[in-house]
Amino acid sequence: MLPGNSHVRRLSQAALSRSQFLQLAAGALVPFVGLPLSAAAAKNPELAQNDGAPETEDEAASDRMGAILVSQFGPVKIHSYLSPLDGFHVNSQMIEGPTAVVIFDGQLLLPYADEVASYVQTLGKPVDRIILSHAHTDHWSGLQVLTERFPDARVFALDGVAGQLRARGQARLDSFRPIYGDRIATKVTIPTETIAEGLQRIDGITYDFRRFVDAESDLQLAALLPEQKVLMAFDLVFSPNEHAFTLVDHFDHWMTILEQLKVLQGYDTITIGHDTPVHRSSIDSTISYVKRAKEIHAASADAKTYSESLKAAFPDLQHAEWVDLSARLLYAAPR
Ligand SMILES: [Zn+2]
């Protein structure tokens, strides 16, 4: 049972324990909603092996609620903003080139989107555009703030994403309202531009945009930065330390996509949707996870069995409680 808005609003972010949050979130999560992974936001030891020489910075911003990780690749910097848990630990990636910044994904909660915007402004360069990776709510609700703060920035997404948001976006926001009150967007921000697949140069940086269907989400953008050898995988790849989300029965196709990503040579740094950047070996760990989840799904008649079996198969992964949410959504869908 969800408590009323007034009760929820009294809970500060800090006061909202994980179990409380889970209890609240469980009532509102539906397959269209992106789900969080833990992040623990600990520095990933693998990062030290990358050319990008990532480092945390701007410790002066001690009152910031989210965490910033910066990776430098010559003249290009990737600033990753990781939200706190109640914002689903979602990332916004800010790609800083010589003269401009490109923002990928807009956060779930408006205060965190506001932190992204304020951080971008400290870079002193205009926001060229905002790109939405997929239509899960935790990646786009905060676009409301970003488009207010950067009114000249056009919002891009893959063909089909705008239609998904028009069809279901408002209902998703309404489902979050009892949990988050005015911290969730009041309106759906619809991307106005369609992102072209293939190679593009933006502010002197080469991007290779790829479109994928039927993985963690129905429609998912990925972006390669061939000169920096960075793969922006968003929700195609998950952290090796944490459970992935298995919301729909797309196991086989998701694994096919991961095999395609594996073939990409030299892309040792992967930015992901819900944790700090990971090493390419995370593609393998995600494949292993999805494969096992598929087997367990085939053998489990109900959500409870699926959830218990998947947790037992990966006892060391963090945030096992999120498996319950995946199970609920997976088994709510027609089989
Ligand atoms: Zn997501």
Side-chain angles (χ1 to χ4, degrees), residues 5 10 18 43 52 66 81 105-106 118 141 157 174 182 198 230 238 249 296 322 332:
N5 285 0
R10 281 202 306 275
R18 178 184 299 164
K43 286 169 202 152
Y81 174 93
D105 285 350
S118 295
S141 161
D174 293 345
D182 57 9
V230 172
F238 282 82
D249 184 1
I296 291 170
W322 294 110

Side-chain angles (χ1 to χ4, degrees), residues 25-41:
L29 289 169
V30 291
F32 189 55
V33 173
L35 289 169
L37 256 201
S38 113

Side-chain angles (χ1 to χ4, degrees), residues 33-37 88 90 105 133-134 136-139 216 220 234-235 238 245 273-274:
V33 173
L35 289 169
L37 256 201
F88 284 23
V90 76
D105 285 350
S133 70
H134 63 296
H136 286 169
T137 313
D138 50 335
H139 296 255
E216 190 260 1
Q220 174 71 63
F234 301 99
D235 287 8
F238 282 82
F245 287 94
H274 295 272

Side-chain angles (χ1 to χ4, degrees), residues 15-79:
L16 198 63
S17 73
R18 178 184 299 164
S19 61
Q20 285 173 316
F21 173 70
L22 273 173
Q23 199 175 5
L24 296 173
L29 289 169
V30 291
F32 189 55
V33 173
L35 289 169
L37 256 201
S38 113
K43 286 169 202 152
N44 190 326
E46 288 155 343
L47 287 173
Q49 300 166 10
N50 294 333
D51 293 333
E55 56 186 35
T56 52
E57 66 172 28
D58 89 313
E59 279 148 18
S62 57
D63 55 350
R64 181 183 295 127
M65 296 174 279
I68 299 271
L69 183 79
V70 184
S71 307
Q72 181 146 13
F73 302 85
V76 176
K77 277 186 179 177
I78 300 179
H79 308 259

Side-chain angles (χ1 to χ4, degrees), residues 4-290:
N5 285 0
S6 59
H7 171 70
V8 175
R9 283 179 181 143
R10 281 202 306 275
L11 290 171
S12 73
Q13 177 203 333
L16 198 63
S17 73
R18 178 184 299 164
S19 61
Q20 285 173 316
F21 173 70
L22 273 173
Q23 199 175 5
L24 296 173
L29 289 169
V30 291
F32 189 55
V33 173
L35 289 169
L37 256 201
S38 113
K43 286 169 202 152
N44 190 326
E46 288 155 343
L47 287 173
Q49 300 166 10
N50 294 333
D51 293 333
E55 56 186 35
T56 52
E57 66 172 28
D58 89 313
E59 279 148 18
S62 57
D63 55 350
R64 181 183 295 127
M65 296 174 279
I68 299 271
L69 183 79
V70 184
S71 307
Q72 181 146 13
F73 302 85
V76 176
K77 277 186 179 177
I78 300 179
H79 308 259
S80 302
Y81 174 93
L82 185 65
S83 88
L85 176 62
D86 65 345
F88 284 23
H89 275 160
V90 76
N91 272 301
S92 288
Q93 311 290 352
M94 296 157 268
I95 313 298
E96 180 190 3
T99 68
V101 181
V102 175
I103 304 176
F104 286 85
D105 285 350
Q107 294 294 316
L108 172 68
L109 298 181
L110 304 185
Y112 304 149
D114 207 51
E115 289 194 333
V116 171
S118 295
Y119 180 81
V120 168
Q121 284 183 325
T122 68
L123 303 179
K125 296 173 184 175
V127 175
D128 175 273
R129 70 192 69 191
I130 300 164
I131 298 174
L132 174 61
S133 70
H134 63 296
H136 286 169
T137 313
D138 50 335
H139 296 255
W140 61 259
S141 161
L143 291 180
Q144 176 175 323
V145 164
L146 294 182
T147 53
E148 284 167 4
R149 298 276 299 268
F150 306 110
D152 295 333
R154 295 173 295 163
V155 181
F156 286 75
L158 287 171
D159 186 26
V161 168
Q164 291 180 332
L165 295 190
R166 269 190 216 98
R168 289 170 284 183
Q170 191 60 50
R172 298 284 68 79
L173 293 181
D174 293 345
S175 73
F176 275 107
R177 187 92 44 219
I179 303 172
Y180 292 114
D182 57 9
R183 301 173 78 210
I184 199 85
T186 54
K187 67 179 180 64
V188 183
T189 304
I190 308 286
T192 52
E193 313 273 345
T194 298
I195 199 160
E197 293 171 63
L199 291 171
Q200 250 188 85
R201 276 181 82 77
I202 304 170
D203 190 30
I205 300 168
T206 301
Y207 293 83
D208 184 355
F209 291 111
R210 307 281 180 97
R211 172 194 181 94
F212 295 99
V213 299
D214 294 346
E216 190 260 1
S217 63
D218 294 339
L219 182 53
Q220 174 71 63
L221 177 75
L224 281 67
L225 278 60
E227 289 151 4
Q228 289 71 34
K229 285 285 188 277
V230 172
L231 166 61
M232 304 178 75
F234 301 99
D235 287 8
L236 295 175
V237 176
F238 282 82
S239 164
N241 304 316
E242 298 161 357
H243 284 280
F245 287 94
T246 52
L247 311 175
V248 283
D249 184 1
H250 290 158
F251 301 105
D252 281 324
H253 198 250
W254 190 356
M255 285 188 281
T256 300
I257 291 168
L258 289 166
E259 293 292 347
Q260 292 168 7
L261 298 183
K262 248 180 94 167
V263 172
L264 298 169
Q265 293 300 314
Y267 288 83
D268 290 338
T269 302
I270 304 179
T271 67
I272 55 179
H274 295 272
D275 199 356
T276 48
V278 293
H279 183 260
R280 62 179 292 115
S281 60
S282 298
I283 299 175
D284 278 325
S285 57
T286 305
I287 290 172
S288 300
Y289 188 93
V290 174

